[in-house]
Amino acid sequence: MEKKLGIYICKDCGIGDALNVEQMQTVANEYNPAVCRVHDFLCSQEGVQVIKDDIQNEGVNTIVIAACSMRVNTDVFSFDPQKYVTERVNIREHVVWIQPPQEENTQRMAEDYLRMGIMRAQKAEPPEPKTGDLEKTILVVGGGVAGLSAAIEAANAGYKAVIVEKSETLGGRVKNMKLLLPSKPPFREPEAPQIEEKIKAVEEHPNIEVYTSTQVVSIEGEPGMFDVTVCSNDNVSIEEIDINEEVKKGGPARYPLPECSSPETFKAGAVVFTIGWKPYEASNLEDEFGYGKFKNVVTNVELEDMASNGGLKRPSDGKKPERVVFIQCAGQRNENHLPYCSSVCCLTSLKQAKYVRETNPDAGAFIIYRDMRTPGLYEEFYKTMQDDEGVFLVKGDIVGLEENGDGTVQVKFENKLLNSTDIINADLVVLATGMVTNLVPEGREPRLLTQDQEYIGDIVSKQTEDGLVEELVPQPIALNLKYRQGPEMPNLRYGFPDSHFICFPYETRRTGIYAAGAARHPMDAAQAAMDGAGAALKAIQCIERTSEGYAVHPRSWDQTFPVFRLESCTQCRRCTVECPFGVLDEDEKATPLEHPYRCRRCGTCMGACPQRIINFNDYSIDMISSMLGEMQVPDESELFPYIVGFICENDAYPAFDMAGINRLQLPPNFRLIRLRCLGGMNLVWISDVLSKGADGVILIGCKFGDDYQCHFVKGSQMANERLGKVQETLSRLMLEAERVKMVQLPINEYDRLPQILQEFADEVEGIGANPYKGF
């Protein structure tokens, strides 16, 4: 659009006391704005009206506000983004609150930020949202308690839901449980499952369609327009192949998806993924706990089946047990088996101890635990069971089990409370074996999934032009996605779906596909029901926001989409490989195929592309390069070293805000440019910075690795990997690699910023001035 620039500088919050605002206005006027105004209190009703009047009377459509952080007063400075470009220049938190007032370097910093903000606004265009009437059906994969809840909530909200369940009946594992953990006050007694009522509600709901004995054989497309193919179990065929042999013969490095002789297809707007869990394979515990070797050693799942079908009996002779030992963490929290805690096993054993006592009032239940974990209001149930005179809670470690001649099992353990070694002769031993997500295929150990890979699959050796390389071939499991990056969702270390689960529960790395229930992480039935409802609401939100052209999260206000200049594409595949969300597929020539509604707008593809052919209307390679061009790099005698920082908007930017709020004093020689995510960091900007004469570059982003905090999952990690290639750029400029550094900064560690910045400034000072300074 033809730009009419309005620049507004606020004097409130100490800005007018710390800066020469008239000089700021002089700098702004260098850009020939339609209006440039200074106001004492810009976020007041009067101040905002000044801007609105200029829009109305002067035709201003590009608004630059030099005042407070873009993270505050968002409702105050809210102008229609499809008509106006609005740029917030942070001279409060990022300048006057972290620098001494009325000093030359403070003024220089503020002027640099103003110049860069004006250029950012001039290079931005309003978004061109892709809107339309999209499919609003919600596919629910799995008909257990989470899936049923998801379907009911979606249907009650007026959306059609389709449940696809692989087994013959709905209800999942809850259907085979005698009682569930207490979910109502006073939380002291287990409850009868209401699963039959929930199944009936689903079967009778006019907005819900149910497929049982059916599998999903493929899903392709994007939110609002997924094409789903389902097939009855009888008609599904899966080709068994040796993937290594196939690759050696020159075949494709991918497993075939299931085939169906008689499929059904339909469209879906979003997917809720609730395929549930399975118990850890107890046969792996034969040596430690005698499972499969001693007749009267069973799992907690097997005991629940007994309780639901005739009562508790010893497998060896059918007699009611009088002394039952529950062994907690049987294989759990154990690096040789299941390294994590399944969170509900302690409560399950307390519930099953109650079964023992109800079966025989003279029976004793012994729970040998490492740590008793009963979070929240479940503590009331724990206290109730503590008061039962026939329930004995013992903190201890198992030494060994032996079978006696009469079928009883001798359980030897170290009693940590009494500091003794004790023995119990048990009629029945129950192992709390833990929960494994059904995303882990049968026969695979959760601890031995493909190491350091995002998908469950197999490593194959593949001959390429560069020689023999190893490649991961993901294994189809349940969704069978026709995505370039693989047929299932990326997973965490033990098979659970990857997501930024703290900030974005239910989200996965596949936009429009939401995980819920024990497939997402271990949880009990009540939690799973709530989880399914929550995922359904997220699915509805996705459909509605997508239909209006908005990103789903975390940039939920964003209506821009990546724009590809494909005529210049070299088919390098970096964008299709590096996108954390599988947005792009490829044609037969490896040219990217867009699926815009999958996009989260992080800009990782923009940073990945060496040809610089991917940009957004309001965020582009040229925009950032032009901003860098506006910096006034001072002479070495005036300010040295001069350093540019690229910071992510999700953790690093607010960390600098918090530094300002807390009035931390930061070095004056840094200029910060916010990125949507460090994953969008293009190496050309480093060349631009150093060619401009700046002395160093620092990247500050979210934590990455196993405990990542990146809102876009892989952004910081991608930036770090790209920096491994920056040596080539620096060598071309004949500059030292130490001039570029990356730092991981969790948002709550803002107080480290003075040290981080000063240490890097000292390092760059030791290297010396950039020889390009002044050119």
Side-chain angles (χ1 to χ4, degrees), residues 626-656:
S626 298
M627 291 172 66
L628 295 170
E630 293 303 300
M631 295 185 310
Q632 303 296 301
V633 179
D635 184 80
E636 185 179 350
S637 62
E638 298 176 288
L639 180 66
F640 174 73
Y642 187 89
I643 298 170
V644 174
F646 293 95
I647 63 174
C648 84
E649 69 181 14
N650 293 302
D651 269 27
Y653 187 98
F656 275 94

Side-chain angles (χ1 to χ4, degrees), residues 543-573:
I543 293 169
E544 295 301 331
R545 296 296 284 174
T546 299
S547 70
E548 297 173 0
Y550 287 100
V552 177
H553 83 284
R555 295 179 58 85
S556 55
W557 66 90
D558 196 342
Q559 290 183 294
T560 63
F561 288 85
V563 179
F564 292 76
R565 191 162 43 83
L566 292 176
E567 65 272 16
S568 300
C569 177
T570 61
Q571 291 79 36
C572 70
R573 298 181 169 175

Side-chain angles (χ1 to χ4, degrees), residues 52-64:
K52 290 180 178 179
D53 289 344
D54 286 344
I55 291 173
Q56 181 71 29
N57 302 325
E58 305 295 334
V60 167
N61 58 14
T62 304
I63 305 158
V64 176

Side-chain angles (χ1 to χ4, degrees), residues 505-565:
Y506 316 116
E507 302 285 359
T508 70
R509 284 176 53 191
R510 296 294 174 258
T511 306
I513 301 178
Y514 299 91
R520 185 166 77 90
H521 68 74
M523 63 181 70
D524 63 38
Q527 291 172 314
M530 289 188 289
D531 221 46
L537 295 178
K538 290 297 293 183
I540 291 170
Q541 181 190 57
C542 171
I543 293 169
E544 295 301 331
R545 296 296 284 174
T546 299
S547 70
E548 297 173 0
Y550 287 100
V552 177
H553 83 284
R555 295 179 58 85
S556 55
W557 66 90
D558 196 342
Q559 290 183 294
T560 63
F561 288 85
V563 179
F564 292 76
R565 191 162 43 83

Side-chain angles (χ1 to χ4, degrees), residues 253-306:
R254 64 175 179 269
Y255 281 104
L257 296 179
E259 295 184 356
C260 182
S261 59
S262 180
E264 292 187 51
T265 61
F266 57 87
K267 295 220 177 257
V271 181
V272 177
F273 182 74
T274 61
I275 65 170
W277 64 281
K278 54 178 164 282
Y280 179 68
E281 180 52 61
S283 61
N284 295 332
L285 305 175
E286 180 178 346
D287 292 340
E288 291 101 321
F289 302 111
Y291 183 86
K293 181 166 62 174
F294 303 151
K295 301 183 189 70
N296 292 320
V297 175
V298 300
T299 68
N300 48 6
V301 172
E302 291 168 341
L303 189 81
E304 195 70 36
D305 287 339
M306 283 187 208

